[in-house]
């Protein structure tokens, strides 16, 4: 019986990993909009209350789109919550009491976000303008806090704390959930994710209106729809390399084998150089065809603020304790390449803005903006691949191996297939709904009527939201 259980767990490991990757990879992009978009909408709404009708119309439209995204994000987030227990039952059985508080607080944040988002979306024309705009503040706070608690669990997996292990029985004792939440990895990892969310949302929203301008929609609304999100994205983009630098230094201290995989280093090196690209050869145990930057000890300085510091190599870990180097390194290099390309785009935008207020008149610049949103999302996914695959073979770093935490259910391939169908349907449905709204807006419809209830005051008198800033 034990042999059959072990065999089932081994068979379930690959589909369980794929299912978790699909769920997390899909949900994380939607979660970005919950973290970042409310603040952008808030700025737009407040501009509208000062008399900018285009800004108020954009805030109204974006609130409806955010409602659609929140709905599908709620589904994918719920699925993820169940998957933690269904796919990794040993993880939750062993450490559920350690991370349970974080999940509970995330649930409370989710409900608060849902309540105030509903109030905001359905209160156009029913609340005074200033009061209505303030509904976005608890949405912002709940979105950020909810994301913080989820990221704290992932950070805890990289830097587990808040418990002791009984050496005789293996039982988890002296549990401190707050110490688990505020682990040594959480602040840098959350801030890295927080900035990434503003990059994804800011560039994606700006890209939509940039695409419209390329098709001839050059009015005030299009320019405003680019400028405000782009400002948010630009601020996040310029701050991100600094946060990433300090996050990398934490990895060098606490997860040196992950850093070795990210950099493709087999033998420990002093004054380690920084290398770009290349492919790691498992047979030769070295990085091949990489470009070495001509700065001696650049990697050592980047990781430890010392040009002569030693960087731990993969050889310091047993072979079974090493992550798959090429996956981790390719994901890491992809994230870096896109990140610095987006920094270049921001500098280009600043240069064009300084030279001319008509900085959106350049077709190549608009094309770059259209590409920036998908590229930011790819960088986000690559960052999560670096974090998750780089931690392998541990689901909890040096505490629980992934292969020991997985379910022994023989049906994971079936659930993976069903989940792929569900996510495909949700994606298609969201695109169809948003495209339908977009077409009606393009046709001149100012306020999309709900299929029930009387007409709102705003529908009856579109100017009501402006009077006296109320």
């Amino acid at each position: 019986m034990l042999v059959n259980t072990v065999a089932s767990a081994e068979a379930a490991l690959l589909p369980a990993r794929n299912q978790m990757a699909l769920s997390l990879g899909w949900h994380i992009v939607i979660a970005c909009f919950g973290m970042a978009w409310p603040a952008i909408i808030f700025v737009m709404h407040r501009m509208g209350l000062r008399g900018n009708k285009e800004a108020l119309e954009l805030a109204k439209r974006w609130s409806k789109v955010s409602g659609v995204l929140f709905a599908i994000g709620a589904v994918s987030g719920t699925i993820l919550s169940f998957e933690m227990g269904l796919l990794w039952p040993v993880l939750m059985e062993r450490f559920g009491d350690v991370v349970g508080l974080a999940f509970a607080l995330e649930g409370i944040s989710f409900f608060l976000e849902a309540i105030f988002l509903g109030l905001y979306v359905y209160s156009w024309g029913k609340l005074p303008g200033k009061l209505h705009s303030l509904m976005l503040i608890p949405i912002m706070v709940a979105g950020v806090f909810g994301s913080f608690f989820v990221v704290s669990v992932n950070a805890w997996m990289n830097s587990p704390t808040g418990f002791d292990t009984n050496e005789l029985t293996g039982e988890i004792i002296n549990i401190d959930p707050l110490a688990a939440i505020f682990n040594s990895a959480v602040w840098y990892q959350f801030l890295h994710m927080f900035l990434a969310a503003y990059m994804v949302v800011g560039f994606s929203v700006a890209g939509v209106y940039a695409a419209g301008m390329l098709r001839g929609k050059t009015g005030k609304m299009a320019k405003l729809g680019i400028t405000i999100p782009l400002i948010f994205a630009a601020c996040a983009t310029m701050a991100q390399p600094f946060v990433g630098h300090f996050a990398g230094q934490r990895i060098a201290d606490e997860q040196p084998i992950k850093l070795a995989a990210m950099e493709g280093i087999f033998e420990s090196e002093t004054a380690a150089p920084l290398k770009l690209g290349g492919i790691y050869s498992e047979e030769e145990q070295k990085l091949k065809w990489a470009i070495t930057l001509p700065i001696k000890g650049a990697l050592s300085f980047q990781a430890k603020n010392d040009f002569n510091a030693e960087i731990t190599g993969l050889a310091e870990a047993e072979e079974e304790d090493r992550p798959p180097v090429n996956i981790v390194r390719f994901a890491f290099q992809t994230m870096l390449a896109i990140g610095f390309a987006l920094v270049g785009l921001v500098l280009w935008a600043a240069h064009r803005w300084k030279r001319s207020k008509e900085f959106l008149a350049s077709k190549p610049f608009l094309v770059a903006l259209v590409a920036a949103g998908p590229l930011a999302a790819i960088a986000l996914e690559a960052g999560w691949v670096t974090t998750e695959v780089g931690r392998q073979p541990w689901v909890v770093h040096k505490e629980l191996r992934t292969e020991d935490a997985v379910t022994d259910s023989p049906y994971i391939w079936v659930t993976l297939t069903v989940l792929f169908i569900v996510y495909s349907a949700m994606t298609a449905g969201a695109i169809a709904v948003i495209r339908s709204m977009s077409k009606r807006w393009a046709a001149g419809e100012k306020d999309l009527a709900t299929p029930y209830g009387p007409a709102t005051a705003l529908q009856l008198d579109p100017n009501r939201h402006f009077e006296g800033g109320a």
Side-chain angles (χ1 to χ4, degrees), residues 12 66 77 93 98 106 109 111-112 130 147 178 221 235 308 335 338 350 361 368 382 402 409 411 423 433 452 455:
S66 68
E93 179 184 355
V98 181
E106 188 278 334
S109 299
F111 284 116
L112 288 174
K130 291 181 180 178
S147 300
L178 288 178
M221 191 175 293
C235 293
N308 294 311
M335 180 185 67
I338 294 175
T402 307
S409 172
Y411 305 111
Y423 280 152
V433 171
Y452 55 87

Side-chain angles (χ1 to χ4, degrees), residues 26-42 62-63 65-74 76 106 109-110 112-114 117 135-148 190 193-194 196-198 200-202 205 380:
W26 197 93
H27 178 75
I28 200 65
V29 176
I30 303 299
C32 286
F33 284 85
M35 292 177 68
W37 214 7
I40 301 175
I41 297 174
F42 179 77
W62 291 354
S63 70
V65 176
S66 68
V68 174
L69 296 179
F70 182 85
I72 60 175
S76 60
E106 188 278 334
S109 299
F110 167 79
L112 288 174
E113 185 179 4
L117 180 61
M135 296 296 104
L136 285 161
I137 293 178
I139 298 173
M140 286 187 271
V141 173
V144 170
F145 272 84
S147 300
F148 173 83
F190 171 72
M193 176 64 206
F194 180 76
Y198 275 93
V200 169
V201 176
V205 175
L380 173 74

Side-chain angles (χ1 to χ4, degrees), residues 221-238:
M221 191 175 293
K223 293 178 181 178
L224 196 60
I226 293 175
T227 304
I228 300 303
L230 181 57
I231 291 173
F232 277 91
C235 293
T237 301
M238 300 309 291

Side-chain angles (χ1 to χ4, degrees), residues 264-273 275 300 308-313:
I265 298 173
F266 183 74
E267 297 288 350
S268 298
E269 296 182 43
T270 56
K275 298 180 179 180
S300 294
N308 294 311
E310 182 179 75
I311 301 298
T312 302

Side-chain angles (χ1 to χ4, degrees), residues 384-401:
W384 277 100
V385 170
T386 304
T387 298
E388 300 301 281
V389 180
R391 191 180 63 243
Q392 299 306 313
W394 307 100
V395 65
V396 180
H397 189 235
K398 293 189 176 181
E399 294 287 343
L400 179 64
R401 299 176 76 89

